Amino acid sequence: MGNIVLDMMAGAATDRVASAGLPEAHREDGGPRHAIVVADRFAQFADGELVFTVSEFRRLVSAGGAASPDPGWVLRLGQGVEPGDLDTLKAAAGIDPAVGGLPVPPATVHKCRAENVLLAGLEQHSEVRCTADLRVHRDNELILDHNTGRHLSGLVIIEAMRQLCTAHFETSYRRALPAGDYAGIWHRMSLDFENFLFVLPAQVTCEIAEVDLGRKGHLRFRALTAVRQNNEDVASAEMQYSMVLRQRVDALERYRAAQAVRRHMATAVRAHDLGVEG
């Protein structure tokens, strides 16, 4: 089903390119044409003039519309463009990289799969402040089954904030703590959405407002986080969370899971008996 949807979107993109022709609005006098390229999955955002999908631009290349020589193209990378796409793009255009730095390793944000990491170019500015570029893989779990038109789901914003808080812990505090994995427990979030988040470059910020390091196996944090695009906040949040030794979390989970099962079964049996007697 996913391939069918992508094929349909790619067909619509082809029609846009054919009807729009070569864009002139974003060409400097005598200079190159400037455009943004995004993954095919984000075809609804591409307008075939200022924003192209990877497949659209490849079609322009194969048709000769984006070929050298002059005036050439300068492409700015939007979301979902992966290293495997760059060879084709670089063959026909200069690349102005919008997402700097390497993707954050999955373990640093407590994920298992690289495509579900939402951060790249992590920078530690101090023990209490860090930033990263938003990096949305075209197969990220949060966008595979969300129909949000031209913008990204609010779940992407929340998860990017969570990941940056986690990455900040792992890179700033983890080395001074006892051996063993830690898990995040999220207590409270006060979140303000101020704009749509589009599949353009964006930044995620985290600043620790309060920290309690008194218990090495259970650290508590209050962080101020934000996602910014075009130098404006898209969303901001105050997040309260703990980083706890995983063995403690596992023990607590087992205990509470057993409690939940017993309570559920007691309720179910009581309701069944009442139904039989009635």
Side-chain angles (χ1 to χ4, degrees):
M1 179 62 72
N3 289 335
I4 295 173
V5 172
L6 285 177
D7 289 342
M8 292 171 62
M9 294 189 333
T14 304
D15 294 340
R16 283 203 309 274
V17 173
S19 63
L22 293 180
E24 299 290 341
H26 52 295
R27 180 212 289 260
E28 300 288 341
D29 291 341
R33 297 181 175 96
H34 291 255
I36 299 165
V37 178
V38 299
D40 288 7
R41 190 176 295 282
F42 305 128
Q44 283 182 286
F45 184 74
D47 60 12
E49 183 174 357
L50 291 173
V51 184
F52 295 90
T53 66
V54 171
S55 291
E56 285 177 339
F57 196 77
R58 283 174 175 160
R59 291 188 187 95
L60 283 178
V61 172
S62 63
S68 297
D70 295 333
W73 289 73
V74 175
L75 298 180
R76 188 167 177 82
L77 304 183
Q79 299 294 344
V81 180
E82 297 302 315
D85 301 321
L86 293 181
D87 289 342
T88 300
L89 300 178
K90 287 179 178 178
I95 303 294
D96 181 13
V99 178
L102 297 174
V104 172
T108 303
V109 294
H110 297 183
K111 301 298 289 187
C112 296
R113 302 175 65 93
E115 62 267 31
N116 294 329
V117 175
L118 288 169
L119 306 176
L122 177 67
E123 292 189 35
Q124 291 288 350
H125 302 282
S126 71
E127 190 179 59
V128 297
R129 184 173 182 271
C130 67
T131 61
D133 293 315
L134 182 71
R135 174 239 186 211
V136 183
H137 191 282
R138 59 191 171 210
D139 293 326
N140 185 281
E141 60 187 346
L142 296 178
I143 66 172
L144 292 180
D145 194 26
H146 283 269
N147 182 15
T148 53
R150 292 171 175 82
H151 71 279
L152 291 166
S153 165
L155 292 175
V156 171
I157 292 174
I158 295 171
E159 174 63 7
M161 291 173 170
R162 184 205 68 81
Q163 288 191 15
L164 189 57
C165 291
T166 303
H168 187 44
F169 164 77
E170 290 287 351
T171 55
S172 285
Y173 295 94
R174 181 67 188 85
R175 289 186 294 272
L177 297 174
D181 291 337
Y182 280 72
I185 297 178
W186 303 85
H187 305 300
R188 181 176 178 273
M189 177 185 299
S190 176
L191 179 66
D192 291 317
F193 289 103
E194 298 163 38
N195 204 341
F196 291 122
L197 176 64
F198 295 107
V199 292
L200 297 170
Q203 296 73 44
V204 192
T205 66
C206 171
E207 184 166 352
I208 303 299
E210 292 181 18
V211 58
D212 180 356
L213 306 178
R215 299 165 59 193
K216 297 302 183 182
H218 188 145
L219 292 77
R220 297 183 68 91
F221 298 87
R222 181 171 68 87
L224 305 177
T225 63
V227 174
R228 295 178 59 80
Q229 192 165 70
N230 295 325
N231 297 317
E232 296 180 347
D233 282 358
V234 172
S236 57
E238 176 184 308
M239 308 179 78
Q240 296 181 19
Y241 55 98
S242 298
M243 290 293 174
V244 184
L245 277 170
R246 183 168 293 280
Q247 61 192 35
R248 296 187 179 185
V249 176
D250 290 345
L252 180 62
E253 276 190 328
R254 284 194 298 271
Y255 172 73
R256 293 196 174 176
Q259 275 191 323
V261 169
R262 286 194 295 269
R263 289 174 180 172
H264 176 80
M265 289 302 296
T267 301
V269 169
R270 194 159 45 244
H272 179 269
D273 290 346
L274 288 173
V276 170
E277 291 176 0

